[in-house]
Amino acid sequence: MGATKQQQANPSSPEGSCWSTSPHALLASVTTSRWWSLLWWPWPSRSSSFSAKRALPAVCVAAAMATTAVVVLANGGGWWWGQSPDGMPASLFFDDPRDWEPPFNITGDHLLDGLLTADFSHKSCRSRYEFAGYYNNNSSSHKPSPYFIAKLRKQESLQKRCGPGTAAYKNAVRRLDSGESVLDDGECRYLVYISYRGLGNRMLAIASSFLYAVLTDRVLLIDGGKDAGELFCEPFPETTWLLPRPGWLSFFFSPLSRLQGYLGGSKESLGNLLQTGAVTMSASGDGNVSWSPASRSPPPYLYIHLSGGYGFHDKLFFCGAQQRLLREVPWLFMWTDNYFVPGLFLTPPFTGELETMFPEKDAVFYHLGRYLFHPTNAVWHAVTSYYHSNLAGARRRVGLQVRVFQKKQPPQVVLDQLLSCVRGEKLLPAFPETKTTTAAANGNTSSGDAVLVTSLSSWYYERVREEYGGRVAGGVHQPSHEGRQRWRDAAHDMRALSEMYLLSMCDVLVTSGYSTFGYVAQGLAGLRPWVMARAPMWADDWREGLDPREPPCRRAASAEPCFHSPSAYDCAAGRDVDLDKVMPYIRRCVDVKCGIKLVNESSSQW
């Protein structure tokens, strides 16, 4: 419980995105005050070494010259500035009114079958209502349930009534700062997500935190700094989800000013309270818990530590008795880099409601991500401009995401695995294709395949281009390559997000195990990817846990992200259980042996 944040950090951090622009132009864009102001959610300084190792997501975007596109994401050597002729320059990242689509009547398609509300201006956030037009794959069959839609409208009302700037919020902050902990009937309760890690981890963690807020009738606030709104539009009408900075008068004593200072063993954490006797078990043996006589009342706030490597007592968060206790706490501060939604399905107080919310268990992040995350106009301009220039004419877009965690892993081994996967699954043509023959075969004017490569290294792109450049009518393309992960880089995050969405617009995905960046892309797309096995990030040897007899890639059971660090403890039974034997819609991940994910019951073999 007293481990440092470095020791407890989840290794599943996302990859860095890459760029293809001149060093002088990129340097100029990053050093201006505008680009530095675009930094999303500052990273915690829990330790200097941890802060220096921020991992960022890398997305591969395949460019298609009127053909099917293939996306490749990769990590490895190389230099920051890309050489691909169709790279995504920094000049794409601006909001150009000339590119706005003409006014249109918002329909059910624009609102994603009721998932979104029409209470926003189209011009204020183009991606919110234009998003649906870029996704034509089979995922369109996923419809949000009426019950989930009703829960969203209720949450929006709660966020508006209790959010920043309201009398209810001001009163709640005053009570928090003064140490008052007893809730009155109808009083607002809050969940503050403490952001850290790379963009992929943050998006997965925010989606999980939001769902937990919906289940527990809490207002979700994001602790992300003054520039957090530069990547995503506000998801809730007439309010903000960004946590305001404490005023200077309360800066030194407000719990909200110390959010980046908590650790797994902090005295304010749920795990620590359970260890130190602040919470007692019922003498009747019914599993109920209550605040100890010494505590007398719940604390005004609790820190919830759900980061990778968290301890046994922290994992009791997923027990029903502890959840009933947490309802009495006005403020919860949550630190997580996990997609812990599968764990909520295994938490007894939430199981039934979640099953009603999501009849299709393999589409949870699909709906959460499409509801919460809407790129700002500047990012969306880059996404749509690149898409129309390189991908729109393709009959089929294929994304290949290559992520390498161990520097000592030979690039040729990674390339052989990638090419073996593509060949074995017949994802790209074995013989040259032409626009004429491909179009005729499909009865349309679209041409065949195109390969889109994004990577931290240009090496994988070049090798894939050598292999398939003469076979696919659309050629092989790479938007960028940085050579290494970049932390605390504003332009980097914007580019990573744009490439993540471009990858999600593909029709076929090959991803790398453990990669949260790939999880987000597949979840937004609603596509089951082919996953290439990887040794965990923390492994000393890149071969650790890998069996050379295994196929180069395996098809994921669903598009859902993997929960890397679940709790196997059955609270009622008082022992560990095999998690994929508990519910018919919970399965082990193909890439993380101890991880679990949600699958559709109809497709399971439980």
Side-chain angles (χ1 to χ4, degrees), residues 198-258:
L199 186 58
N201 289 79
R202 285 178 280 168
M203 292 177 71
L204 296 177
I206 288 172
S208 304
S209 301
F210 171 71
L211 184 57
Y212 179 69
V214 170
L215 290 167
T216 56
D217 299 314
R218 290 183 179 271
V219 175
L220 174 67
L221 296 175
I222 307 300
D223 171 44
K226 64 180 181 181
D227 300 319
E230 297 297 339
L231 279 185
F232 294 110
C233 305
E234 294 281 354
F236 311 122
E238 300 182 61
T239 187
T240 180
W241 66 341
L242 304 180
L243 179 71
R245 298 291 94 184
W248 69 271
L249 288 175
S250 60
F251 182 80
F252 294 101
F253 61 84
S254 174
L256 294 176
S257 67
R258 304 192 297 270

Side-chain angles (χ1 to χ4, degrees), residues 92-94 96 99 126 376-386:
L92 286 182
F93 288 83
F94 71 98
D96 188 354
D99 291 336
R126 293 173 48 211
T376 56
N377 286 352
V379 176
W380 191 243
H381 178 270
V383 171
T384 55
S385 296
Y386 193 91

